[in-house]
DNA sequence: GTCTATAGGGCGATAGAC
DNA sequence: GTCTATCGCCCTATAGAC
C-alpha cells in the first residue's frame, strides 16, 4: 500500500494548494512541488487536474462529515459538539478553503454538482443526525461560512482594532453555535 | 463622456464574468465578448487583467456601501434597512460574487489587501453608522456570507426538499437580520 | 479610440525511458 | 511506478494600422 500512501500525500498537498489558490489558480506543478513528486506524475495519478480537484473536495467532505459524527457521538449538546468539530477542521486550513472554492464554482458541471451534493449532505446531517432545527442549522452554516471567509482573506493580518473585534466576535462561543474556537488557530 | 460609458459597460461585463468564473478562471476575452468589444481593448483600458479585477472589486465595494447608506438614511430599524439593501444588491448577481472571489484570494498581494480593507470598511459602517453591536454585526455578515455561498453554488438548481428548506430559512426575515428577501431573486 | 494580428509565456497533458 | 522531455493550446499583453 505504498502507492496508497503516495496518493494520500499528493491529496494532502493538493488540498493545501487548491485552498490557497483556488481551482483555476492552482497549478498541477505547484501541487507536485508541494508533494515532492513530478508534475506529470500528479496528472497520471488522477487523469486530469479536474479529477484531482474533485477527489480533494470529496475527501474534504468525507472528513468534515466524519469529524461531525465523531464529536456528536461523544457529546451532550449537539450545537456545542458541531462547534468543537470545527476546531479540528481549522487545523487543516486547506480543507475548508478547498470546499469554499468548490462552493464558488456552481456553474461548473461536475464541481458545482459535487458542491451542491456536499452542502446538502452536511445540512442533512446537522438537521437529522444532530437534530438542530432549521434556524439553528442555518445559523450554524452562516457562521461557518463567515469563519471560512475571514480565514481565506487572512483578516488576522490586518492591523486594525476593528479586525480584532470582528475576529473575536466570530470566533467567540457566545457569538454563535461554534464553541471552543480561539484566535490562535487563525495565525497558522 | 462616451468613453466613460464604455468603461462602465466593460466594468459591468467584467463584474458578471469575474463573478461567474473567479479571478483566474475568467479571461479577458470573455469579458470583451460580454461587453461587445475586442480583447486587446479591454486590456488597454485597464492595463492588466489584475487592474481590471481590482477596479471591479473597488466598484462593487463602493456600490455596496452606497446601497447600505441609502437604505439607512430612509429607515427606522437599522438591521431591517441593511437587509433591504441586500435585496437590491442581489439583483446584480456578479457584484456579490466578485466580492466573494476577492475574499477568497487573501494571499494575493493586491487583491487580498483590497479585500481586507473592503471587509473592514463594511464592518465599520454597520457598527458605527448603522449602530449594530458586535454580535449583531457578526450575525449580519455571517448570514450575508451564507447567502453569497448558496447563490454562488446555485443551490436553487438542486432538486431536493432540504435545499428548498435551507434556501427558505436563509432568505426568510426571521432567520436573521436580512429581511425582505424572497426566493424568486435566486433564479435569475 | 478601437480594431486585427501576433508575440510570448505558462500550463495541462502525452510520450517514452528507466 | 516514477521520472525527463516536450508538445500544443490558451491566454495575456504588445505592435501597429485605421
Amino acid at each position: 500500500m505504498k502507492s496508497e500512501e503516495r496518493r494520500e500525500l499528493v491529496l494532502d498537498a493538493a488540498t493545501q494548494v487548491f485552498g490557497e489558490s483556488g481551482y483555476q489558480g492552482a497549478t498541477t506543478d505547484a501541487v507536485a512541488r508541494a508533494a515532492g513528486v513530478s508534475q506529470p506524475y500528479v496528472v497520471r495519478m488522477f487523469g486530469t487536474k479536474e479529477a484531482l480537484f474533485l477527489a480533494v473536495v470529496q475527501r474534504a467532505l468525507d472528513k468534515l462529515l466524519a469529524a461531525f459524527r465523531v464529536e456528536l457521538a461523544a457529546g451532550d449538546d449537539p450545537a456545542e459538539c458541531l462547534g468543537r468539530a470545527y476546531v479540528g477542521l481549522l487545523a487543516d486550513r486547506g480543507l475548508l478553503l478547498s470546499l469554499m472554492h468548490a462552493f464558488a464554482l456552481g456553474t461548473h458541471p461536475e464541481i458545482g454538482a459535487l458542491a451542491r451534493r456536499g452542502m446538502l449532505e452536511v445540512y442533512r446531517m446537522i438537521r437529522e443526525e444532530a437534530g438542530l432545527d432549521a434556524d439553528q442549522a442555518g445559523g450554524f452554516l452562516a457562521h461557518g461560512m463567515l469563519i471560512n471567509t475571514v480565514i481565506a482573506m487572512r483578516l488576522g493580518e490586518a492591523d486594525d482594532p476593528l479586525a480584532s473585534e470582528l475576529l473575536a466576535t466570530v470566533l467567540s462561543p457566545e457569538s454563535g453555535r461554534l464553541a471552543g474556537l480561539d484566535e490562535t488557530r487563525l495565525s497558522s
Side-chain angles (χ1 to χ4, degrees), chain A:
Chain A
M1 314 306 157
K2 188 73 169 295
S3 70
E4 194 59 31
E5 290 172 15
R6 242 337 177 223
R7 189 187 162 91
E8 287 297 306
L9 196 75
V10 171
L11 281 172
D12 279 339
T15 301
Q16 291 302 117
V17 173
F18 281 125
E20 283 270 314
S21 310
Y23 170 56
Q24 296 98 339
T27 66
T28 55
D29 189 60
V31 172
R33 271 184 278 111
V37 297
S38 70
Q39 179 268 333
Y41 186 42
V42 170
V43 175
R44 281 285 261 256
M45 262 196 285
F46 294 89
T48 64
K49 176 184 172 182
E50 182 185 311
L52 170 58
F53 185 64
L54 290 172
V56 163
V57 172
Q58 183 61 61
R59 204 178 66 139
L61 288 168
D62 292 343
K63 286 190 177 183
L64 183 84
L65 291 167
F68 282 176
R69 289 202 172 95
V70 164
E71 287 292 333
L72 282 174
D76 33 331
D77 179 28
E80 203 175 315
C81 291
L82 293 175
R84 265 200 309 276
Y86 226 83
V87 178
L89 295 172
L90 278 176
D92 181 0
R93 191 186 208 126
L95 191 148
L96 293 174
L97 296 188
S98 288
L99 279 180
M100 191 188 187
H101 279 115
F103 292 154
L105 297 177
T107 57
H108 189 291
E110 283 83 29
I111 297 172
L114 177 58
R116 285 186 290 275
R117 207 181 321 137
M119 173 65 88
L120 286 175
E121 199 162 353
V122 170
Y123 185 68
R124 192 195 57 75
M125 115 148 294
I126 64 181
R127 284 283 281 122
E128 300 180 359
E129 295 187 34
L132 269 55
D133 67 33
D135 279 346
Q136 288 174 320
F140 176 75
L141 286 182
H143 280 268
M145 294 304 107
L146 180 53
I147 288 177
N148 291 350
T149 303
V150 299
I151 292 174
M153 74 193 306
R154 300 185 109 85
L155 196 62
E157 292 178 11
D159 188 24
D160 188 312
L162 274 179
S164 305
E165 179 189 288
L166 176 55
L167 281 171
T169 305
V170 172
L171 300 174
S172 79
E174 298 81 25
S175 79
R177 291 110 183 128
L178 295 168
L181 294 171
D182 63 292
E183 198 167 341
T184 60
R185 292 267 176 182
L186 289 178
S187 11
S188 69

